[in-house]
Amino acid sequence: MKFSHKILIWTIIIMAAAFGMGGYFFVNFVFDTSMNREIGQAMDESSILQFAFETAALNIPSKYDVLQDSTIEEIGSNLEKGGQGTGRLLRLSDENRTVLYASEGFVEDTEFLMQIQEDTRIYQVIRQGERYYVQTGTVIDALDRILYLETMKDVTGVFEERTQGFAVYRNLTFAMLLVGSVVTFFIAAWLTRPIRLLTGAARKMAEGDYSSRAQQISNDEMGQLTCDFNYMAAALEENIHKLEEEIRAREDFIAAFSHELKTPLTAIIGYADLLRSRKLDEEKHFLSANYIYTEGKRLETMSLRLLDIIVTRRGDIKLEDVDVAVLFEYIRDMFGEKEDVELRVAYDKGKIRAEANLLKSVLLNLTDNAYKASFTEDGSKAVIELQGLRGEDGYFFGVRDYGVGIPEEEKRKITEAFYMVDKSRARSKNGAGLGLALCTEILKLHHSELVIESTVGEGSLFGFTLPCEEVTVDGTQKTD
Ligand code: ADP
């Protein structure tokens, strides 16, 4: 059942109970008040009749010292007539509670008569046919005779008023319920609108539309819920995009990997087949064996780099204070001796927070790339500059070359695994397009990133910044 319908049904139940009980108590209150008034009037009339009877008895001529039954009847009849128009009914009984006079229509039952005691005035409400009466009873002491006076007052009107009251209230309750239900229906629909909007948005999201959001139409708790839902949906959408991105990257990676694997393997298989199927002259034999060797080497480099990336992605490294000199001197040791390289190293002293071996690998890859990019057929030396600059943001490492440079549109892609700007040139130098991907992963672990500046034909600068110790005025160092 819909939430708005539940609100509607419960409101109707509560309204019906409230109106019903309220009406019942109100009508009964009015009835009780009227009845008390009628009973009071009946008792007053009883006492007036008692007094009138005693007065009338005293006025009887003295020859009748004793009050005759016939006189009692006569007085009774007079008293009844005296109340004509008011519907007065009375009954007079003697000491033995034998009825002497009774108005026409007076109740025949004598049970009440038997209950009348001296010095008291009692009453009861009785029903006779369709009519209701207040019956009163009292004792009259007249001329040594004890008589019983009973009266009956018609109170049917009060009962009819009560019945009418109930009828009016019942109709009123139905009308109120009808109006209340219509109003509640619209209020419930209005109150539950944010829920419907939320449900709609959630359903769309479940169907795959992650950009779907619920419209916030109020600032109350429901509005807050909508706001939180949208916030959650935005986070979810972002995560799903990230996941999709990751899946796409993985698929690209696998496609590129299988392609990169196929190229050297095809060459290796082709040349190996040539070697085993024909007798080649010495030069061709050497060339074939050399292809197999270089392509095999490339496969080896690729598998080692891949292993490095996988290990690095696990992200479990321990950062320590590393003297930058150790890093720069390591590169100098690796490239300084090469005859076709002019390595210029200039760096500020300092210590950085890093994992030394991983950072050596980054610098080695960048320097190797710079070397490969500067390689010329004419045998001129490759100039590579290694810079270490202490700045406000941290310690900047830069590797500059004056080689081929990178086209603007390629800059973003070269850090992707297996991406090579010039494939044949890269492959001829044992490249597999994994070096910069590895550098990016390592720098991510150091909360840093690769910055590339390059102009085609002029060269490139690859750099990154790491947190370092601050140098104070007196030359001592402290960690960031
Ligand atoms: P690899 O060097 O094994 O090919 P990398 O991931 O290190 O793989 O580099 C990817 C590609 O980026 C290289 O193939 C090359 O085309 C380009 N590249 C990298 N460094 C430089 C550079 N210093 N100058 C010009 N191109 C570069």
Side-chain angles (χ1 to χ4, degrees):
M1 188 191 280
K2 278 187 179 177
F3 185 55
S4 58
H5 291 172
K6 282 186 187 170
I7 294 179
L8 184 64
I9 287 173
W10 276 108
T11 311
I12 292 173
I13 291 173
I14 291 167
M15 276 199 309
F19 283 134
M21 276 159 63
Y24 176 79
F25 285 115
F26 180 70
V27 172
N28 269 331
F29 172 76
V30 173
F31 171 77
D32 287 344
T33 312
S34 302
M35 271 310 287
N36 287 339
R37 193 186 60 235
E38 292 292 332
I39 289 165
Q41 283 176 2
M43 297 294 259
D44 287 349
E45 195 174 356
S46 164
S47 102
I48 290 166
L49 286 176
Q50 179 191 11
F51 181 70
F53 188 95
E54 286 169 356
T55 311
L58 285 175
N59 288 336
I60 288 170
S62 54
K63 58 175 178 168
Y64 302 121
D65 272 353
V66 180
L67 201 56
Q68 301 294 315
D69 285 356
S70 57
T71 313
I72 293 169
E73 277 176 47
E74 197 180 327
I75 296 173
S77 166
N78 286 338
L79 287 177
E80 186 191 339
K81 281 181 196 138
Q84 247 170 14
T86 58
R88 177 186 288 166
L89 297 174
L90 57 91
R91 184 164 72 177
L92 287 162
S93 310
D94 64 9
E95 297 78 354
N96 303 320
R97 302 186 196 241
T98 308
V99 177
L100 297 176
Y101 176 81
S103 305
E104 198 185 327
F106 203 98
V107 65
E108 285 171 13
D109 184 30
T110 55
E111 203 179 312
F112 182 70
L113 175 62
M114 298 303 167
Q115 292 169 18
I116 303 171
Q117 303 290 325
E118 233 171 299
D119 297 331
T120 57
R121 194 183 310 279
I122 60 171
Y123 76 90
Q124 70 171 4
V125 179
I126 55 163
R127 181 180 175 173
Q128 210 173 2
E130 291 299 306
R131 307 201 71 78
Y132 293 88
Y133 298 91
V134 175
Q135 186 178 0
T136 68
T138 190
V139 176
I140 300 176
D141 188 358
L143 299 178
D144 294 335
R145 286 199 68 172
I146 298 294
L147 301 170
Y148 296 95
L149 168 68
E150 291 168 87
T151 64
M152 267 172 69
K153 183 171 170 44
D154 193 341
V155 290
T156 311
V158 178
F159 281 85
E160 282 170 357
E161 270 172 24
R162 183 171 70 166
T163 312
Q164 277 171 9
F166 279 137
V168 168
Y169 224 93
R170 193 171 48 243
N171 293 341
L172 199 70
T173 302
F174 276 126
M176 300 280 263
L177 278 180
L178 200 70
V179 175
S181 304
V182 174
V183 173
T184 310
F185 176 80
F186 285 109
I187 290 177
W190 175 68
L191 281 178
T192 54
R193 192 165 166 239
I195 300 178
R196 284 199 302 281
L197 290 172
L198 271 176
T199 316
R203 204 165 289 158
K204 276 191 189 166
M205 284 189 78
E207 284 163 5
D209 177 8
Y210 299 110
S211 62
S212 170
R213 298 285 180 277
Q215 187 195 350
Q216 188 180 346
I217 52 169
S218 64
N219 287 322
D220 54 11
E221 289 90 335
M222 294 308 284
Q224 189 56 47
L225 180 65
T226 309
C227 191
D228 290 345
F229 173 86
N230 287 342
Y231 184 71
M232 184 200 74
L236 196 69
E237 189 185 10
E238 199 185 312
N239 280 342
I240 283 171
H241 278 316
K242 259 191 211 159
L243 276 177
E244 283 172 350
E245 232 358 76
E246 244 171 60
I247 290 170
R248 195 190 57 79
R250 244 172 237 186
E251 281 170 0
D252 289 354
F253 182 88
I254 290 167
F257 176 66
S258 51
H259 182 260
E260 283 312 306
L261 208 61
K262 225 172 91 188
T263 320
L265 278 177
T266 313
I268 289 169
I269 292 166
Y271 282 108
D273 191 37
L274 197 68
L275 280 175
R276 68 169 191 166
S277 56
R278 259 187 273 163
K279 191 149 181 68
L280 299 171
D281 61 45
E282 205 171 322
E283 195 192 341
K284 278 189 180 153
H285 186 96
F286 172 76
L287 270 177
S288 302
N290 194 44
Y291 267 122
I292 292 172
Y293 175 77
T294 47
E295 289 304 291
K297 266 293 196 206
R298 219 156 69 74
L299 270 182
E300 185 192 31
T301 316
M302 202 161 79
S303 69
L304 288 175
R305 288 255 170 89
L306 267 178
L307 204 67
D308 281 350
I309 290 178
I310 290 164
V311 171
T312 312
R313 274 190 184 162
R314 294 219 174 114
D316 205 12
I317 61 159
K318 214 174 139 228
L319 298 180
E320 53 199 1
D321 284 343
V322 179
D323 191 339
V324 293
V326 175
L327 304 171
F328 286 112
E329 292 316 316
Y330 169 74
I331 302 298
R332 207 199 296 269
D333 287 348
M334 289 287 154
F335 284 86
E337 297 303 315
K338 281 191 192 285
E339 284 180 1
D340 52 354
V341 178
E342 184 186 331
L343 192 70
R344 299 173 189 164
V345 184
Y347 59 91
D348 296 339
K349 283 182 180 170
K351 280 186 177 170
I352 49 155
R353 294 290 295 166
E355 212 286 338
N357 287 327
L358 290 179
L359 220 58
K360 278 180 189 170
S361 177
V362 173
L363 287 172
L364 193 64
N365 269 298
L366 295 182
T367 315
D368 192 43
N369 278 353
Y371 173 63
K372 287 189 278 190
S374 311
F375 187 81
T376 50
E377 301 293 329
D378 61 9
S380 56
K381 279 193 170 185
V383 178
I384 301 172
E385 289 172 6
L386 253 69
Q387 311 165 351
L389 297 171
R390 173 190 291 283
E392 277 189 8
D393 300 337
Y395 198 95
F396 175 78
F397 290 85
V399 179
R400 176 178 292 284
D401 67 68
Y402 297 92
V404 287
I406 305 156
E408 193 57 38
E409 65 279 9
E410 307 279 357
K411 270 190 207 166
R412 209 172 39 84
K413 300 181 198 162
I414 56 172
T415 50
E416 288 172 18
F418 300 111
Y419 193 84
M420 293 165 261
V421 179
D422 182 344
K423 285 194 167 46
S424 57
R425 184 187 162 93
R427 283 187 190 130
S428 70
K429 293 183 169 54
N430 235 359
L434 289 171
L436 291 181
L438 176 64
C439 292
T440 309
E441 291 297 331
I442 293 175
L443 290 176
K444 242 191 240 170
L445 290 180
H446 288 80
H447 311 292
S448 181
E449 59 182 358
L450 206 55
V451 183
I452 305 167
E453 283 173 21
S454 186
T455 313
V456 176
E458 289 185 16
S460 318
L461 172 70
F462 282 72
F464 58 92
T465 305
L466 290 179
C468 72
E469 296 166 329
E470 272 177 25
V471 181
T472 55
V473 188
D474 59 2
T476 54
Q477 294 178 337
K478 61 176 185 171
T479 311
D480 273 345

